[in-house]
Amino acid sequence: MDQYMKAALDEARQGAEEGGIPIGAALVDKEGNLVATGRNRRVQDLAVIMHAEINCLYNAGKLADSFRGMTMYSTLMPCHMCAGAALQFGITKVIVGESENFQDNGLDLMLRHGIEVIDLDLDEAKELLAEFIERNPSEWYGDIGRIE
Amino acid sequence: MDQYMKAALDEARQGAEEGGIPIGAALVDKEGNLVATGRNRRVQDLAVIMHAEINCLYNAGKLADSFRGMTMYSTLMPCHMCAGAALQFGITKVIVGESENFQDNGLDLMLRHGIEVIDLDLDEAKELLAEFIERNPSEWYGDIGRIE
């Protein structure tokens, strides 16, 4: 596994240790520098929109004015909000750990707008999130907007 | 003008007073209660992703677990990230002040997924943002992901 997906998985695990939803992300510039990392903070901050990718771009905003041409790593296929963020800010490649745990995602939106998407289909990413969902279904279904 | 768009415009004006990008948002539940407001905080917080709608949903996360069936007001037509957020969290109606200042927006994404979108085409909203763009083009083009 490359160092960037490892950084995203480390964020996911740190989220799990905090009792949060274990999804992590990392942003890498065109020269291969790690710009920022982030993790889902829904539980920790009562922040519904703080998905891992949004948190990563939030952190990156302190360091970079533009994300054009950068690559986003995420342990999970981005939702429509996070896919839309990639599109809005000119991210050209998205590499994900898995897409099995969340299928109503933003893949089509990214592909339609020419973002390259690679799904590594990693057992490690799948198992980490699947275990959380089994133990905390209400947090998870809130995170994907499926509770009333 | 209804009270909710007025609340969004008040946020936009407060942003302008802080030197920020004057875009505001408000979230209203099915019973017509104002759940939260927010404003673009790109300049104030060095937070590229803190568009008005994202900031509003961030604030709302402290107060509501779910935004399903709610209405989002924004002084500007949402970008793909903010449109994706509406979709992800089950917002069913989006009422905007204008769409003239930003045309590469998320309207199609919202319509394709059945979100009702109403554009009030308000001179007040258009003028407030147009003045900012004229004075601060680099902040604006960064906000819409159009700088390298």
Side-chain angles (χ1 to χ4, degrees):
Chain A
M1 186 186 314
D2 78 28
Q3 58 179 309
Y4 311 119
M5 183 52 76
K6 189 178 171 310
L9 272 165
D10 284 348
E11 283 277 352
R13 276 190 218 98
Q14 200 169 333
E17 280 168 25
E18 294 165 349
I21 302 181
I23 303 171
L27 185 69
V28 178
D29 72 14
K30 288 182 241 185
E31 288 73 42
N33 302 303
L34 184 63
V35 176
T37 61
R39 59 184 177 276
N40 188 301
R41 300 192 60 87
R42 175 189 178 85
V43 175
Q44 295 93 320
D45 299 349
L46 294 176
V48 173
I49 59 101
M50 269 298 168
H51 282 193
E53 302 89 332
I54 295 291
N55 182 236
C56 180
L57 295 177
Y58 181 84
N59 295 336
K62 318 293 181 197
L63 305 163
D65 272 347
S66 168
F67 310 141
R68 290 198 83 75
M70 291 193 186
T71 297
M72 172 71 82
Y73 286 74
S74 176
T75 58
L76 181 69
M77 183 67 78
C79 77
H80 280 98
M81 170 178 65
C82 297
L87 177 56
Q88 167 72 7
F89 297 112
I91 287 167
T92 46
K93 192 190 234 183
V94 173
I95 300 178
V96 307
E98 60 120 347
S99 55
E100 220 175 77
N101 281 306
F102 177 47
Q103 293 177 11
D104 186 18
N105 54 53
L107 175 61
D108 284 351
L109 177 63
M110 293 188 284
L111 294 180
R112 200 160 48 231
H113 289 270
I115 295 175
E116 182 186 0
V117 182
I118 297 169
D119 185 347
L120 300 176
D121 193 36
L122 300 172
D123 287 341
E124 198 171 347
K126 281 187 266 191
E127 286 161 15
L128 190 61
L129 183 54
E131 277 169 25
F132 179 89
I133 295 171
E134 201 179 320
R135 280 183 288 112
N136 306 275
S138 72
E139 287 295 351
W140 170 248
Y141 289 103
D143 197 63
I144 59 169
R146 293 292 168 277
I147 53 170
E148 294 302 317
Chain B
M1 186 186 315
D2 77 28
Q3 59 178 308
Y4 310 119
M5 183 53 76
K6 190 178 171 310
L9 272 165
D10 284 347
E11 283 277 352
R13 276 190 219 97
Q14 200 169 333
E17 281 169 25
E18 295 164 349
I21 302 180
I23 303 170
L27 185 69
V28 178
D29 72 15
K30 288 182 242 185
E31 288 74 41
N33 302 303
L34 185 64
V35 176
T37 61
R39 59 184 178 276
N40 188 301
R41 300 193 61 87
R42 175 189 177 83
V43 175
Q44 296 93 319
D45 299 349
L46 295 175
V48 173
I49 59 101
M50 269 298 168
H51 282 193
E53 302 89 332
I54 295 290
N55 183 236
C56 179
L57 294 177
Y58 181 84
N59 295 336
K62 318 291 181 198
L63 306 163
D65 271 347
S66 168
F67 310 141
R68 289 198 83 76
M70 291 193 185
T71 297
M72 171 71 82
Y73 285 74
S74 176
T75 59
L76 181 68
M77 184 68 77
C79 76
H80 281 99
M81 170 179 64
C82 297
L87 176 56
Q88 168 72 7
F89 297 113
I91 287 166
T92 45
K93 191 189 235 185
V94 173
I95 301 178
V96 307
E98 61 121 346
S99 55
E100 220 175 76
N101 282 306
F102 177 47
Q103 293 176 13
D104 184 20
N105 55 52
L107 175 61
D108 284 351
L109 176 64
M110 292 187 285
L111 295 179
R112 199 160 47 232
H113 288 272
I115 295 175
E116 182 186 1
V117 183
I118 298 170
D119 184 349
L120 300 175
D121 193 36
L122 301 173
D123 287 340
E124 198 171 347
K126 281 187 266 192
E127 286 160 16
L128 189 61
L129 183 55
E131 278 169 26
F132 179 90
I133 295 171
E134 201 178 320
R135 282 183 286 110
N136 307 275
S138 71
E139 287 296 351
W140 170 248
Y141 289 102
D143 198 62
I144 59 169
R146 292 294 169 276
I147 54 169
E148 294 301 318

